Amino acid sequence: MTDRKPRVDDEEALAFHRQAPAGKIALRATKPMATQRDLSLAYSPGVAAPVKAIHANPDAVYDYTSKGNFVAVISNGTAILGLGDLGPAASKPVMEGKAVLFKRFADIDAIDIEVEEDDPEAFVECVRRFGNTFGGINLEDIKGPDCFIIEERLRELLDIPVFHDDQHGTAIITAAGIINACELSGRDIKDLKVVVNGAGAAGIAVLELIKSMGVAHDNAILCDTKGVIWKGRPNGMNQWKSAHAADTDRRTLEEALDGADCFIGLSVKGAVTKAMVKSMAADPIIFAMANPDPEITPEEVREARSDAIMATGRSDYPNQVNNVLGFPYIFRGALDVRARTINEEMKVAAARALAELAREDVPDEVAAAYHGSRPSFGKDYIIPAPFDPRLISHVPPYVAQAAMDSGVARRPIADMEAYKATLAQRLDPTAAILQALHEEVRSADRKTIVFAEGEEPTVIRAAHAFQTQGLGKAVLVGREETTRANMRLVGVPEDGIEIVNARLSDHNAVYADWLFARLQRQGYLKRDVQRMVNNDRNVFAACMVALGDAHGLVTGTTRNYAQALADVQMALDPKPGERVMGMSLVLSRGRTLFIADTNVTEFPSAEAMADMACEAAAAARRFGVEPRVALLSYSTFGNPAGERSEKIQEAVRLLDARNPDFEYEGEMNADVALDPDHTRLYPFSRLTGPANVLIMPAIHSASISTKLLRAAGGATVLGPMLVGLEKPVQIARLGAGVADILTLAALAAHDLSAEKSAVSAS
């Protein structure tokens, strides 16, 4: 197998950490600190109020401080990565990195603390004194057996979750993989014969967890550098090893593996040979997790036999056991119910959640991480990818529920579905809008949406998601044989979605006659129209919608926007009195903006801009936003004067004559329009707050601004969404992914959902 792991040399890594500001974490204020009043509320005298409230009720500390979303990452540097005991200062880059991962993957604030203490009891006493400042403690890189003592004592002394990730993180991800490996090999975990090589913190934690999940004590053998840990063994023992001593006459790893179903390695490179692998049972499960080099490589296992299910700790092989799949989401669920501890039930729940997620169709972000190939549940994909965006909303609810069920939650969650929605919003600012959109579509009459480019794998997957998520009925336009072949390729059931072949459709003649009657005085012959209906899927799909055989359509992934729109407009007109335009929704730093026209009219006239203002305001209301419209220019209320600004002033006068039922103003520069205090300089402004609908003077300024906000400003941009046609149509960008196509399909089903169509729900 080719090594795909990115190579990082020391100089590059040092430069990365040294770049100003040095390190990887910083502190930011979560409340405004712009005025004297802000300071008075944040500190003296305002801070006295929460002080007294917490004194009266200690649990109120979660309500008035950051404790509920704050984790301490603590180490003494006695076991840093695979480098050994290098001391607390040397562990700081690793601990900062762990803190960054908490924030990146679960939106948990974390701070690293390096303790200069090697004695376990003294370390425990040190952490005990400050531990309850935090909502949870993640112990890291502490040598064994000290880590067992420290974690156990801190769990007894502190009333918050304490979690040694080197032990339990590895155990949870491994357990998830074991669950799925058993599923694939037709085994019951209760009958699984397991050999664990490596009796350190991680090895013992893995064994304890899989035993709690059903592996029988008599079916598990633990090995260390001296061989099998058997009952009565006199040398190299401690209380943690003794708890897992096996009643067996096997003494070596080689003997232990003979006939075993499963090998779990947390030891050293080369510990397992091909001969040992050959001696294992059919369909062996091999987790060789020594780092940086596994006990045996996947290449060596394949040379020995072809039926093995294999995982390693490396990212350049399939099925990486990566702790980042566990600790962020385990703490997220624990913190959200204010758990007093992280117990076995919560760990098992996390493992089962991860196993379940690996069986689902993967999103585009995962395919990108796999260099464009799309993994599916099987021998090479039994553990989710670390960059799967669904982890944040999938795993914590399992953990939180287990905490509630096992009685360690201080604040139970009443509405788990609402909690899942909140989790999705933590890392994706569009999630709240999309969730509301989807719920409204589900609650309405079932719409039929035609996916014009139905042979495309991404379109097929989006159509499948549209139906399985209950958003409506999907129809794919394409040749049956090609479409079904691609359905098999992406793992979508062939009988689940209706396929329509334009050339062979029963409606072909009806569509051609209707379209010819529409276009015959525009230079088209009957044969031209018949050719378009036969061969152009956009035209055919638009005819379906125009004649009531579907409610709306989605296209654009294989053709540029202008061409796709021209195709659709062969059969569909603008709504009476309205103008077709593109509108983008921008979410940035807590602000929601609608920007138009981003795709259709290059240099709109004054009348066109007035039309756009009305349509964009109506669309904003359909998203639940009360519009405040600004018509933008390089000038503000005539300063500086210019020919181009006169057109915008005329658009405002046209709006005055129409007397619309929304706030509007112009011409205005963007910074003025978005300034909540702009009325101090312009007291005559009709906007009662910052603008949230921006009408651009030209398509290039609209396109540049949205792309600039996305690329340089870190904004999230939805769209452009097409508005103004008589029937719901959405056009995706070239090469759009499944998530984008699904969003546009939901928008088409919603119509931004204003009107009933002639098609009955089927």
Side-chain angles (χ1 to χ4, degrees):
M1 178 178 290
T2 302
D3 188 352
R4 301 189 303 270
K5 192 171 185 178
R7 297 298 180 186
V8 177
D9 61 41
D10 288 352
E11 282 305 313
E12 182 183 4
L14 290 171
F16 175 86
H17 287 82
R18 187 172 54 235
Q19 180 182 354
K24 299 187 287 288
I25 59 175
L27 181 70
R28 68 174 181 85
T30 60
K31 300 296 187 293
M33 296 290 165
T35 67
Q36 182 62 44
R37 182 168 183 79
D38 292 339
L39 296 178
S40 296
L41 288 168
Y43 198 56
S44 182
V47 75
V51 168
K52 290 183 283 188
I54 294 168
H55 176 70
N57 174 19
D59 278 351
V61 69
Y62 286 97
D63 300 318
Y64 298 115
T65 75
S66 61
K67 176 174 178 171
N69 196 50
F70 209 8
V71 166
V73 181
I74 304 177
S75 180
N76 61 4
T78 53
I80 304 173
L81 303 175
L83 303 174
D85 186 351
L86 302 182
S91 75
K92 188 171 179 65
V94 182
M95 300 309 112
E96 280 191 353
K98 197 76 171 213
V100 169
L101 295 178
F102 269 110
K103 189 66 177 176
R104 162 62 179 83
F105 289 102
D107 194 28
I108 292 171
D109 296 316
I111 190 75
D112 62 295
I113 298 174
E114 290 73 40
V115 179
E116 294 185 0
E117 183 55 71
D118 288 353
D119 178 73
E121 284 301 327
F123 184 99
V124 167
E125 181 58 21
C126 174
V127 175
R128 181 190 70 80
R129 291 178 180 274
F130 65 75
N132 279 319
T133 296
F134 302 95
I137 289 175
N138 184 95
L139 299 171
E140 195 82 15
D141 288 359
I142 301 170
K143 69 179 181 181
D146 294 359
C147 57
F148 297 113
I149 299 168
I150 289 169
E151 185 192 39
E152 185 176 333
R153 291 283 293 125
L154 287 174
R155 289 182 65 183
E156 293 171 356
L157 295 169
L158 298 177
D159 200 27
I160 57 173
V162 178
F163 185 83
H164 184 217
D165 188 45
D166 298 319
Q167 295 179 61
H168 309 300
T170 301
I172 289 163
I173 315 310
T174 301
I178 296 295
I179 291 170
N180 279 339
C182 286
E183 172 74 16
L184 289 170
S185 59
R187 291 182 170 99
D188 188 327
I189 198 169
K190 294 178 182 177
D191 302 321
L192 195 68
K193 295 179 180 179
V194 180
V195 176
V196 177
N197 193 48
I204 289 175
V206 168
L207 191 51
E208 288 178 345
L209 185 60
I210 62 174
K211 282 183 176 180
S212 73
M213 293 169 57
V215 170
H217 176 82
D218 293 339
N219 284 345
I221 294 178
L222 178 64
C223 299
D224 62 8
T225 56
K226 299 182 185 300
V228 172
I229 295 172
W230 46 276
K231 283 186 178 180
R233 195 181 88 170
N235 300 321
M237 298 296 287
N238 58 41
Q239 67 187 79
W240 297 280
K241 292 181 182 181
S242 297
H244 299 287
D247 186 5
T248 179
D249 58 0
R250 303 190 185 200
R251 294 295 181 262
T252 66
L253 176 61
E254 182 178 12
E255 292 173 357
L257 280 174
D258 187 13
D261 297 309
C262 176
F263 168 77
I264 299 172
L266 291 146
S267 52
V268 294
K269 173 184 177 181
V272 175
T273 66
K274 287 188 279 188
M276 293 181 191
V277 171
K278 289 179 180 179
S279 75
M280 295 179 70
D283 300 312
I285 301 165
I286 301 172
F287 278 51
M289 296 180 287
N291 265 322
D293 298 301
E295 287 82 358
I296 186 168
T297 66
E299 292 91 343
E300 292 170 321
V301 169
R302 280 197 297 272
E303 290 171 6
R305 59 195 303 168
S306 61
D307 60 344
I309 301 171
M310 178 118 192
T312 71
R314 290 177 54 146
S315 62
D316 53 343
Y317 290 124
N319 298 324
Q320 182 194 18
V321 177
N322 189 332
N323 284 18
V324 80
L325 289 165
F327 69 85
Y329 312 110
I330 294 162
F331 269 97
R332 180 75 275 158
L335 291 174
D336 289 340
V337 294
R338 298 180 185 172
R340 299 181 184 278
T341 188
I342 294 173
N343 56 27
E344 289 300 297
E345 292 88 343
M346 295 160 74
K347 297 172 199 172
V348 170
R352 296 196 185 283
L354 290 167
E356 180 182 279
L357 188 61
R359 302 179 195 184
E360 297 183 6
D361 182 38
V362 303
D364 291 334
E365 292 88 341
V366 174
Y370 279 78
H371 308 277
S373 64
R374 186 171 299 280
S376 59
F377 181 58
K379 287 185 176 182
D380 287 338
Y381 190 73
I382 59 173
I383 302 170
F387 287 95
D388 192 324
R390 300 168 299 177
L391 286 161
I392 181 64
S393 58
H394 187 81
V395 180
Y398 277 78
V399 177
Q401 188 65 55
M404 292 154 53
D405 293 343
S406 59
V408 299
R410 287 186 183 86
R411 187 182 66 176
I413 294 170
D415 187 341
M416 195 58 72
E417 290 304 313
Y419 174 54
K420 291 176 183 177
T422 302
L423 288 169
Q425 295 165 30
R426 278 190 170 272
L427 299 179
D428 180 2
T430 67
I433 287 175
L434 294 181
Q435 286 161 1
L437 172 70
H438 286 190
E439 285 306 313
E440 189 166 342
V441 170
R442 288 190 192 98
S443 64
D445 292 341
R446 191 167 183 251
K447 301 294 195 298
T448 298
I449 302 300
V450 57
F451 293 75
E453 297 151 313
E455 294 179 0
E456 296 299 309
T458 53
V459 175
I460 291 170
R461 292 178 59 240
H464 176 64
F466 181 79
Q467 284 199 166
T468 56
Q469 292 182 24
L471 298 173
K473 177 185 176 182
V475 175
L476 297 171
V477 177
R479 293 164 295 180
E480 291 92 335
E481 185 176 344
T482 303
T483 304
R484 293 190 190 283
N486 284 333
M487 289 172 121
R488 292 192 294 272
L489 180 68
V490 298
V492 169
E494 294 180 52
D495 59 352
I497 306 176
E498 181 181 347
I499 303 170
V500 175
N501 186 323
R503 185 182 293 272
L504 303 178
S505 168
D506 293 340
H507 298 288
N508 183 287
V510 175
Y511 293 167
D513 289 343
W514 176 83
L515 192 60
F516 178 58
R518 173 181 168 84
L519 299 178
Q520 61 191 355
R521 294 184 181 276
Q522 298 178 36
Y524 289 89
L525 300 176
K526 179 66 179 286
R527 63 172 180 259
D528 300 327
V529 172
Q530 186 66 65
R531 189 181 303 113
M532 285 192 295
V533 171
N534 285 348
N535 300 325
D536 193 309
R537 292 167 190 168
N538 286 337
V539 174
F540 181 86
C543 288
M544 287 182 68
V545 174
L547 293 181
D549 294 322
H551 294 94
L553 77 87
V554 178
T555 187
T557 59
T558 63
R559 203 170 289 188
N560 71 60
Y561 197 100
Q563 183 59 57
L565 179 58
D567 293 343
V568 167
Q569 288 185 302
M570 290 285 186
L572 294 171
D573 293 321
K575 289 180 182 177
E578 295 192 18
R579 186 175 299 274
V580 178
M581 69 175 191
M583 183 181 73
S584 294
L585 190 156
V586 177
L587 297 101
S588 178
R589 300 182 182 182
R591 190 194 298 264
T592 301
L593 299 173
F594 298 87
I595 299 178
D597 173 6
T598 51
N599 265 85
V600 179
T601 306
E602 186 171 5
F603 292 106
S605 64
E607 183 176 2
M609 281 192 284
D611 292 343
M612 291 173 189
C614 293
E615 291 187 38
R621 278 190 174 138
R622 290 194 288 268
F623 274 100
V625 174
E626 187 56 33
R628 292 187 296 272
V629 179
L631 288 82
L632 296 189
S633 172
Y634 68 93
S635 61
T636 299
F637 301 124
N639 183 24
E643 180 180 348
R644 294 186 179 180
S645 62
E646 291 175 0
K647 181 173 64 173
I648 301 167
Q649 293 168 4
E650 175 61 21
V652 174
R653 288 193 288 271
L654 290 172
L655 285 172
D656 290 341
R658 297 183 188 185
N659 192 28
D661 62 346
F662 56 84
E663 295 181 18
Y664 62 94
E665 190 55 278
E667 88 279 20
M668 305 175 78
N669 213 314
D671 60 339
V672 176
L674 299 176
D675 182 359
D677 297 322
H678 75 273
T679 53
R680 288 186 299 177
L681 282 177
Y682 307 101
F684 52 85
S685 172
R686 289 174 284 198
L687 298 183
T688 60
N692 51 27
V693 178
L694 307 179
I695 305 302
M696 295 292 184
I699 198 171
H700 61 267
S701 56
S703 179
I704 290 169
S705 63
T706 52
K707 288 178 171 61
L708 190 62
L709 282 166
R710 189 198 321 248
T716 300
V717 180
L718 278 182
M721 298 168 281
L722 190 63
V723 298
L725 278 175
E726 60 181 325
K727 299 285 186 177
V729 174
Q730 294 299 331
I731 300 175
R733 58 180 172 80
L734 275 171
V738 173
D740 290 337
I741 300 168
L742 177 61
T743 295
L744 292 176
L747 286 168
H750 187 257
D751 185 21
L752 300 158
S753 221
E755 296 180 272
K756 299 281 185 183
S757 178
V759 184
S760 60
S762 57

